[in-house]
Amino acid sequence: MPTSKDMYELKLRKRLLSQQLSVIDDKVDRMSRMLDKKLTMKGLKKEPAKKVETVRRSCRGGVEDAKPRKLMEPETIIPGSKIDLVRKRNVIRRHNEMEKRKPKPKPKMPRADPFAINTNVPASLLPRRYTRGELPCTVEHRSSGLALSWMCPLHNLDYEHYLPIFMDGVRCLDNPHKFIARQGVYELLQDAAGDSSRILSVLDLCILPLRYGLSTKHPSVVLAIVNILKQLCTVHPACGPLLIPHYRQLLGILNLFYCKGGKNLGDAMDYKQFSPDDLVVPIAELLEMMERTGGKDAFVNIKFNIPTYTSAL
């Protein structure tokens, strides 16, 4: 037995079919009138065409005259009614089917960039120590620029405590911490030139901060560390051989920038010779200095870490 829901759907379909049939009848009548006008204008039709009674079957199976009927006014769909719910459900179902048929874009694999800046390096502790007032220096603004004002003579400082702190702050990129760290390392090494008691004992403690700075792969940080290593090679004759066991920790990152190749300007002039864009020349100068000051085993260890290096001696 058909339920009330089935009867409702049948009545709804019957009403839609009757509307469609009336629309088709109107189109047929319009087309027949247009054809009659065209024939009379061409002179092919002398007598009016006889009306042919057409019949159509009604939905109930009977025969009715095909007379033009007025279009039924469309019924307004009440929001929240059964018709509205069915219509919305069908629209959602069709939309979901179309979404399933759409081809899904393939995910793009990230490119491997060995020169990308590494942000997973531990943060430096120098900014925190500077805000606490634990550093024996302050920034002084002079007419010639910034400078460091030390609270005591540098030879009275404990190099085993302060030099690794300043080395750790070399990888800072914000001022005044960036200036304090790099200028502090330069002045501490310059004051300790030729003094083995201050430099040789603290050299092993400075390797880890320098390694962290090179791991950032930031061009300005790498250039600052290259300059520090140059200064270490010349600060005392015994520093060169003592750096050989640490070549594996320092030269691995420098090998990336050394093999990258420099800028080929041809016969043009380079106005950015002091910018950290091209690191090949400073690194090449550092390797030559390491070979000269490191002794007989320096070239073998440099060649092991940087295979493209050639001897400068």
Side-chain angles (χ1 to χ4, degrees), residues 3-259:
T3 60
S4 59
K5 185 177 181 180
D6 296 338
M7 293 296 295
Y8 179 77
E9 290 182 357
L10 289 174
K11 289 180 182 179
L12 183 62
R13 291 178 182 176
K14 178 181 176 182
R15 189 182 304 168
L16 293 174
L17 287 173
S18 61
Q19 290 181 358
Q20 292 175 359
L21 288 173
S22 61
V23 170
I24 293 170
D25 291 341
D26 291 340
K27 288 184 178 180
V28 170
D29 292 338
R30 266 183 272 151
M31 293 299 294
S32 63
R33 291 194 205 101
M34 289 174 63
L35 289 173
D36 292 342
K37 287 182 180 179
K38 289 183 179 179
L39 292 174
T40 51
M41 289 174 66
K42 292 180 180 180
L44 299 175
K45 186 177 180 182
K46 296 181 180 179
E47 297 179 357
K50 296 181 180 179
K51 293 184 179 180
V52 181
E53 294 183 356
T54 57
V55 296
R56 67 176 177 83
R57 295 189 176 274
S58 63
C59 297
R60 297 179 182 178
V63 179
E64 296 179 359
D65 295 335
K67 296 180 181 179
R69 303 165 68 181
K70 292 184 179 180
L71 292 175
M72 298 176 62
E73 295 182 359
E75 295 183 1
T76 57
I77 299 176
I78 302 172
S81 60
K82 291 184 178 181
I83 301 175
D84 187 34
L85 295 176
V86 171
R87 184 177 63 84
K88 289 181 179 178
R89 194 184 305 123
N90 292 335
V91 170
I92 294 172
R93 179 175 54 80
R94 290 173 187 170
H95 175 73
N96 294 335
E97 290 177 358
M98 294 297 294
E99 289 293 331
K100 290 179 181 179
R101 293 176 187 173
K102 288 183 179 179
K104 295 182 179 180
K106 296 181 179 179
K108 294 183 179 180
M109 298 300 293
R111 290 186 178 182
D113 186 7
F115 301 100
I117 296 175
N118 185 16
T119 57
N120 296 327
V121 181
S124 174
L125 297 178
L126 184 134
R128 186 180 300 177
R129 295 177 183 273
Y130 177 72
T131 53
R132 289 177 180 176
E134 298 178 5
L135 300 182
C137 63
T138 56
V139 180
E140 184 178 352
H141 297 267
R142 300 177 181 175
S143 59
S144 59
L146 297 179
L148 288 182
S149 176
W150 297 92
M151 299 179 181
C152 63
L154 295 180
H155 62 270
N156 293 336
L157 293 176
D158 185 6
Y159 270 62
E160 292 186 3
H161 177 71
Y162 287 110
L163 188 57
I165 293 175
F166 283 96
M167 290 278 191
D168 185 61
V170 173
R171 63 179 182 270
C172 294
L173 299 175
D174 299 330
N175 284 319
H177 313 119
K178 172 182 174 181
F179 172 77
I180 291 172
R182 299 180 185 184
Q183 186 66 21
V185 171
Y186 173 76
E187 294 185 10
L188 287 173
L189 293 179
Q190 189 178 24
D191 188 76
D195 190 354
S196 60
S197 61
R198 284 190 281 176
I199 294 297
L200 301 182
S201 61
V202 76
L203 189 61
D204 294 339
L205 301 176
C206 298
I207 300 301
L208 185 60
L210 295 178
R211 171 67 179 178
Y212 282 155
L214 291 174
S215 299
T216 60
K217 299 180 183 179
H218 198 284
S220 64
V221 178
V222 173
L223 181 62
I225 293 175
V226 167
N227 294 330
I228 290 172
L229 291 174
K230 285 182 184 179
Q231 195 175 3
L232 277 175
C233 291
T234 58
V235 72
H236 194 274
C239 286
L242 289 178
L243 285 174
I244 293 178
H246 307 293
Y247 280 178
R248 290 190 179 184
Q249 302 180 28
L250 300 175
L251 300 185
I253 302 297
L254 296 180
N255 185 30
L256 289 175
F257 296 95
Y258 184 75
C259 297

